[in-house]
Amino acid sequence: MTASKQRVSYFYQPDVGHFYYGPSHPMKPHRIKMAHHLILGYGLYRQMECYRSHPASPNEMSAFHSEDYINFLAKVTPDNLRGYSNQMQKFNVGEYTDCPVFDGLYEFTQLYTGASLDGAVKLNRGDADVAINWSGGLHHAKKSEASGFCYINDIVLAILELLKVHARVLYIDIDVHHGDGVEEAFYCTDRVMTFSLHKYGDFFPGTGHIKDTGAKEGTGFSVNAPLTSGMTDDAYERIFKPVMDKIMEVFRPGAIVLQCGADSLTGDRLGCFNLSLKGHAECVRYTKSFNVPTLVLGGGGYTIRNVARCWAYETSVLLDAELPDEIPYNDYFEYYAPDFKLHLTPEQRENMNTEASLESVRVDLLTQLMALKGAPSVQMAEVPPDFEVMKEDANAERERRSTKESRDGEGMND
C-alpha cells in the first residue's frame, strides 16, 4: 500500500438540505446540511476539492429507470396529485406509502443523483482517489418504483457510470437495511459484486437472506450478511474485515462504491444496531486502505444529530485527519446538546447476535467467496472489450472531427 495521501473530492449542493418529506416523516434531508456545517466547522473542507454538483438530467436517470417513471416524478406535485392516483399506486408513491409527494421532489432527486454521477466521473477520469456525496446512497429505489424513502437510485446510476471504465465494481452497504435496489439491479451479472450487512428478519425490506447469492452469470456475486439487533463494533468488524479481505482477493474490483447509511449507529430512530462512530467508520477506513478508487455515499440515518456527527467524522477518516471530540461552533450547534461531543457511547444492551450465529455467517460467506476463485470474471481483462471499442470509436470520431476542422480551417484561410 502506498503512503501517498489520497486525493479526495467532495460534492455538495447547498439546496439539498432544504427539502422536506413532511411533518412526521423520519427522512430529513436537513441532516445533509448539518453534516456539511460540521465539515466546515472542523475545517475539513480545506483538505479536499469541493464541488457544487450538477442536477442529473432525465436522460442520465433513464440509464436505469424507466422513462414513464421519471416523467411521473417530474410532473407530480402536492397540488396536482389527485390526477395521478393510478400512477401513484403503480409507482408506489404518495399517501399510504413511505415515499410521499412533497414540494420539489423531482429537483431533490436530481440534486442527490447528479452529485453521485459527478463523483463517479471524477473517479473515472483519475482526477480523484475518493469522491464523497453524503446526499446520495438511496439504495431501495427500483427501476420503476419508489421504495423506503428512495425515488431515484443514484447508486445504480453511479455504478453504471463506473462500469464504462472498470471491468468490475464492488458495492458495499453498511446501512442497517438491506441494499435491495442495488442488489436487484446487478443480480445477474458478475461485473458488480454487492456486499450488504443488515438486520434481517421482520425488518424492512425483508430481503438479503444469506442464500440470496445472485443468479445466472451473477451467481455467487451477491454477498449478504443477515444480522439481528444489538450489533457491536467488535462483532461487526469480525464479519466485515475477513469477508472484505476475501472479496478483494477473489473479485479484484477496479472501483468501489461504499454506502454509509448511519442508521446502523447506536440510538437511531429506526435502526436497532449498537455501533459507535468509530465502529461504523472503521469500515470506511478499512475500505480506503485497499487504495482502490472509491465513491463514498450517505444513505439512511434518522437521529439526525448523529448522522451529521457520523458523516463529518467519516470525512475526517477519508482525509486521514484527527478531529477533537468537542463539536465546533456552527449554525446547528444546539442540536448537539447536552454534551456537545462528536463521539457516541453505545447503549448498555444485549447483542442478540451470538458468537455461534456470527461465526456461521462468516464461514458461509467465506465459503461462498472461495467457490468463486478462478471464476471467469476473475480472468476478465481490466477494461471490458466493448469499452475499448467505444474508446476507439470515440477516438476515431475525434480524429475525423479534427481532420474536418483543419480542412474547414484551411478553407477559411483561403
Side-chain angles (χ1 to χ4, degrees), residues 103-378:
D103 276 327
L105 162 60
Y106 182 62
E107 190 190 343
F108 175 62
T109 67
Q110 288 184 291
L111 295 186
Y112 74 71
T113 302
S116 292
L117 288 172
D118 283 348
V121 167
K122 195 88 179 152
L123 295 172
N124 275 352
R125 289 182 177 156
D127 293 338
D129 304 303
V130 175
I132 302 170
N133 169 27
W134 294 126
S135 68
L138 281 82
H139 58 172
H140 297 306
K142 311 292 195 302
K143 183 182 172 73
S144 301
E145 190 181 306
S147 172
F149 320 157
C150 307
Y151 302 84
I152 294 291
N153 198 316
D154 63 293
I155 307 169
V156 170
L157 292 167
I159 291 172
L160 290 171
E161 188 61 42
L162 291 167
L163 286 170
K164 291 177 183 176
V165 169
H166 301 283
R168 293 177 298 284
V169 175
L170 169 63
Y171 171 65
I172 307 164
D173 191 314
I174 60 172
D175 193 291
V176 76
H177 300 96
H178 176 234
D180 59 336
V182 185
E183 176 181 281
E184 185 180 294
F186 299 110
Y187 204 64
C188 297
T189 177
D190 57 6
R191 290 191 57 197
V192 178
M193 179 172 279
T194 58
F195 174 31
S196 177
L197 303 94
H198 48 270
K199 156 91 165 144
Y200 181 80
D202 193 25
F203 197 69
F204 183 86
T207 49
H209 190 280
I210 200 157
K211 290 201 159 48
D212 296 339
T213 59
K216 299 181 181 166
E217 284 77 35
T219 301
F221 291 84
S222 289
V223 182
N224 283 304
L227 307 163
T228 191
S229 303
M231 278 300 284
T232 61
D233 293 356
D234 185 52
Y236 206 85
E237 194 176 317
R238 289 210 309 273
I239 299 277
F240 186 85
K241 288 187 175 178
V243 174
M244 196 51 195
D245 286 344
K246 186 54 73 178
I247 286 173
M248 296 306 285
E249 176 198 327
V250 171
F251 187 61
R252 301 198 338 268
I256 295 173
V257 178
L258 173 59
Q259 195 266 23
C260 300
D263 47 10
S264 41
L265 290 173
T266 185
D268 188 77
R269 186 175 159 187
L270 299 186
C272 53
F273 285 179
N274 201 15
L275 300 183
S276 73
L277 253 56
K278 288 178 178 165
H280 197 270
E282 184 55 26
C283 300
V284 177
R285 193 201 61 75
Y286 201 65
T287 301
K288 166 183 148 57
S289 74
F290 290 97
N291 279 312
V292 171
T294 302
L295 176 63
V296 180
L297 305 174
Y302 307 100
T303 302
I304 61 174
R305 61 186 182 273
N306 293 348
V307 178
R309 283 176 161 116
C310 181
W311 293 344
Y313 180 62
E314 287 175 345
T315 304
S316 80
V317 167
L318 291 163
L319 291 166
D320 292 316
E322 294 288 325
L323 292 187
D325 199 25
E326 286 68 41
I327 295 275
Y329 186 77
N330 66 88
D331 287 3
Y332 305 103
F333 190 64
E334 70 280 4
Y335 279 76
Y336 306 101
D339 62 345
F340 302 100
K341 294 279 193 276
L342 177 64
H343 286 283
L344 307 174
T345 307
E347 296 165 353
Q348 289 299 311
R349 64 190 183 95
E350 192 185 350
N351 181 2
M352 305 306 288
N353 300 270
T354 63
E355 289 286 335
S357 70
L358 291 168
E359 182 62 8
S360 163
V361 167
R362 198 176 65 82
V363 168
D364 282 3
L365 296 185
L366 292 176
T367 306
Q368 175 188 332
L369 290 162
M370 297 277 268
L372 292 178
K373 259 198 146 167
S377 78
V378 177

Side-chain angles (χ1 to χ4, degrees), residues 50-89:
C50 301
Y51 297 94
R52 181 184 289 226
S53 47
H54 85 290
S57 68
N59 193 37
E60 286 175 313
M61 293 175 176
S62 69
F64 173 57
H65 293 283
S66 64
E67 281 183 39
D68 56 345
Y69 176 55
I70 298 165
N71 291 338
F72 161 74
L73 290 178
K75 287 184 187 144
V76 72
T77 70
D79 300 327
N80 69 13
L81 51 76
R82 290 191 190 287
Y84 287 96
S85 53
N86 285 350
Q87 283 179 284
M88 280 164 59
Q89 219 172 344

